[in-house]
Amino acid sequence: MNIAAAMKNEVSKKVSKLIHRGRSYSLFQLRQDGDYFIKIQKGKIRKQRSLKTPFINDAKKSAKTLIDKILYSGESDWEAPTPPKTTLWRIFQRYRAIGSTHGLAVRTVEQNISELKKVVGREKDAKRIILSELNDKTVRDFFDAELSTVDVRDETKRQKKLRSIRSTLRQARSVFKEDWIKRYVDGGMDIPDLTSFLKEKVEKPKDSPHQQVEDVTLEKIHKAANKIKQTDPVIYIMYLLAKTTLRRGEIQNARWDWIVHINGQPTFRIDENQKGKRKTDIPIDQTIYKELCEWRKQQTGDYILPENGWESQRCGYHCKSFDVWIRKAGLTTDHTFHEIRAWSLHEIREKYGLEVAQRIGRHTDSHTTEYHYTGEKKLPENFCFG
């Protein structure tokens, strides 16, 4: 190489212009004696690439090759990767299939899907919602929209709404449990990174123990139950079953063969098909057991209650009638069967202790029993000190 050529190919810190195929480009160095770089725009995407040489002549040759490859050869990976096009509707169909295979209750599956629709907006078409659209903003928008439906200056209503929001998010996000996502992928679906949607935090409601219904209200309900025994015995039997601590779903599916005797004690022996997925023994109060025996004489089927509902709720209409009746009797809280169950567990706790109440309530920890059912231990009557 002669001296003139060497001088022409020497390292330069200045910006150099390049004309190629009728377009002008700038070649530049980011640091002294460093490699040259070029910026190339294709469509709406503009990227900066190193030409991997500090010599201007070599840099121009590399730049022309790079430009041809990106803009004219069609072999470039310049475009941004297309986000997965899996729709929420496809996820719902696959989730239903997985739920059926893995033994999830139909009601649970449909409830989780319904809550996810609520988070993204029920008015939106699930077939048009791309999974990659779910992010942390989706959660924040849902949170703000839900809070706007209540008077946030009323702290009671605000706390109630916060609990509702967290419950909805918990159920909605359960559609994207890790095991389910793996199976979506196995089914040929492209699943984007949903971390921001699944991990976005919302305000936590204050954790306070369950407040028991006042004694006077429970007395009114008890009197109303005795009155309706003759006119609508099904409601009366449902009331008794709730007092035994059976849940709403268990009351609808309770069978006569659940009742067994253990050491002379009448007991509900519940199998794994009920909530909790484990066998459980629940002792039955002797007075309630006698009432059930009288009721059985009038029944011919395998179930304690006659059927009157639909596929997911065998006695759904009976339950609706019960809800109406108990509110007319004086109950003003949001829950019906739950309050009777909570009252019974509270009485058990007072008489036998929290551990026994937890066992009969079928809870994995005593915190659930105390904070959602029994409340704090009752203060002594005629309480005084000092």
Side-chain angles (χ1 to χ4, degrees):
M1 181 183 296
N2 57 37
I3 297 176
M7 291 178 64
K8 193 173 181 180
N9 200 35
E10 66 180 349
V11 178
S12 171
K13 295 183 293 180
K14 297 180 180 180
V15 175
S16 179
K17 293 293 182 180
L18 170 67
I19 305 296
H20 183 59
R21 292 183 182 256
R23 298 176 64 175
S24 177
Y25 301 90
S26 296
L27 310 185
F28 55 92
Q29 292 174 309
L30 297 178
R31 59 183 176 82
Q32 186 175 3
D33 298 333
D35 290 343
Y36 274 95
F37 286 80
I38 184 174
K39 288 184 178 180
I40 303 175
Q41 182 161 338
K42 182 177 182 181
K44 295 182 178 180
I45 301 175
R46 191 181 191 198
K47 292 185 180 181
Q48 177 176 295
R49 288 283 179 89
S50 171
L51 298 173
K52 300 180 180 180
T53 177
F55 301 102
I56 188 59
N57 283 351
D58 292 340
K60 287 182 177 181
K61 292 179 181 178
S62 297
K64 291 177 181 179
T65 302
L66 185 61
I67 292 168
D68 288 343
K69 179 181 178 181
I70 292 172
L71 298 183
Y72 303 103
S73 69
E75 300 176 359
S76 171
D77 60 351
W78 203 252
E79 293 80 3
T82 304
K85 295 296 184 182
T86 303
T87 63
L88 208 52
W89 182 82
R90 287 189 64 198
I91 291 294
F92 291 161
Q93 301 309 307
R94 181 62 176 162
Y95 179 58
R96 288 187 175 102
I98 293 172
S100 175
T101 303
H102 289 260
L104 294 181
V106 174
R107 183 180 179 185
T108 299
V109 170
E110 294 303 323
Q111 181 67 26
N112 292 342
I113 289 175
S114 177
E115 296 298 78
L116 183 51
K117 287 180 179 179
K118 182 178 180 181
V119 172
V120 301
R122 295 194 188 279
E123 72 284 355
K124 296 180 180 179
D125 184 356
K127 292 184 178 180
R128 296 182 178 275
I129 299 176
I130 306 301
L131 215 56
S132 56
E133 296 174 2
L134 301 184
N135 51 40
D136 52 345
K137 185 177 183 300
T138 306
V139 177
R140 291 193 297 273
D141 289 345
F142 166 70
F143 180 85
D144 294 344
E146 286 293 293
L147 274 188
S148 68
T149 63
V150 299
D151 182 2
V152 293
R153 293 170 296 182
D154 186 328
E155 190 60 21
T156 300
K157 293 181 179 180
R158 184 173 178 276
Q159 290 297 320
K160 178 181 175 181
K161 179 56 69 173
L162 289 177
R163 287 191 290 271
S164 173
I165 290 172
R166 287 176 68 87
S167 175
T168 295
L169 286 173
R170 183 177 64 253
Q171 293 179 75
R173 287 166 168 169
S174 67
V175 176
F176 298 109
K177 286 183 178 179
E178 185 177 351
D179 285 346
W180 303 155
I181 288 180
K182 290 178 181 178
R183 284 166 174 79
Y184 299 154
V185 174
D186 292 343
M189 297 183 183
D190 292 322
I191 307 298
D193 184 1
L194 297 171
T195 302
S196 64
F197 173 75
L198 298 176
K199 299 298 183 182
E200 176 67 10
K201 295 181 179 180
V202 296
E203 183 179 351
K204 184 179 180 180
K206 295 177 181 177
D207 196 5
S208 57
H210 175 77
Q211 283 189 325
Q212 291 299 323
V213 176
E214 295 180 4
D215 292 346
V216 64
T217 301
L218 291 171
E219 289 174 5
K220 289 180 180 178
I221 294 172
H222 183 67
K223 289 179 181 179
N226 289 329
K227 288 181 180 180
I228 205 171
K229 178 179 179 180
Q230 301 302 325
T231 59
D232 196 339
V234 172
I235 287 182
Y236 179 69
I237 296 300
M238 294 177 82
Y239 170 70
L240 294 181
L241 293 175
K243 287 182 68 175
T244 66
T245 74
L246 292 187
R247 300 180 174 97
R248 189 185 191 102
E250 293 165 346
I251 289 173
Q252 297 181 70
N253 296 306
R255 301 170 60 95
W256 289 115
D257 59 12
W258 286 11
I259 301 177
V260 298
H261 286 79
I262 302 176
N263 297 324
Q265 169 68 51
T267 303
F268 278 125
R269 174 155 284 179
I270 298 179
D271 60 23
E272 301 93 331
N273 292 320
Q274 304 307 312
K275 186 173 181 179
K277 303 292 185 181
R278 61 180 183 273
K279 293 181 178 180
T280 311
D281 289 342
I282 306 171
I284 307 172
D285 178 84
Q286 292 288 352
T287 303
I288 294 177
Y289 176 67
K290 290 179 182 179
E291 295 275 13
L292 291 176
C293 288
E294 290 298 318
W295 172 249
R296 186 173 188 178
K297 294 176 182 178
Q298 308 171 37
Q299 306 301 307
T300 57
D302 296 330
Y303 291 91
I304 296 178
L305 294 177
E307 185 174 1
N308 183 19
W310 50 92
E311 183 179 1
S312 60
Q313 294 197 47
R314 181 179 167 275
C315 300
Y317 294 115
H318 285 321
C319 290
K320 288 179 180 290
S321 297
F322 180 89
D323 294 341
V324 172
W325 165 77
I326 201 169
R327 296 199 187 287
K328 286 183 178 179
L331 187 66
T332 58
T333 60
D334 294 333
H335 305 288
T336 53
F337 290 100
H338 176 89
E339 290 296 352
I340 303 302
R341 171 175 154 84
W343 171 63
S344 293
L345 289 175
H346 174 74
E347 293 294 304
I348 293 170
R349 182 236 175 95
E350 292 299 313
K351 190 172 184 178
Y352 301 105
L354 183 60
E355 182 179 354
V356 176
Q358 174 191 342
R359 179 179 174 183
I360 294 178
R362 291 152 284 156
H363 301 139
T364 55
D365 62 81
S366 59
H367 180 273
T368 300
T369 309
E370 182 172 28
Y371 271 68
H372 298 287
Y373 292 88
T374 68
E376 296 175 327
K377 188 169 178 60
K378 191 176 181 180
L379 293 173
E381 294 183 5
N382 301 318
F383 182 73
C384 64
F385 61 93

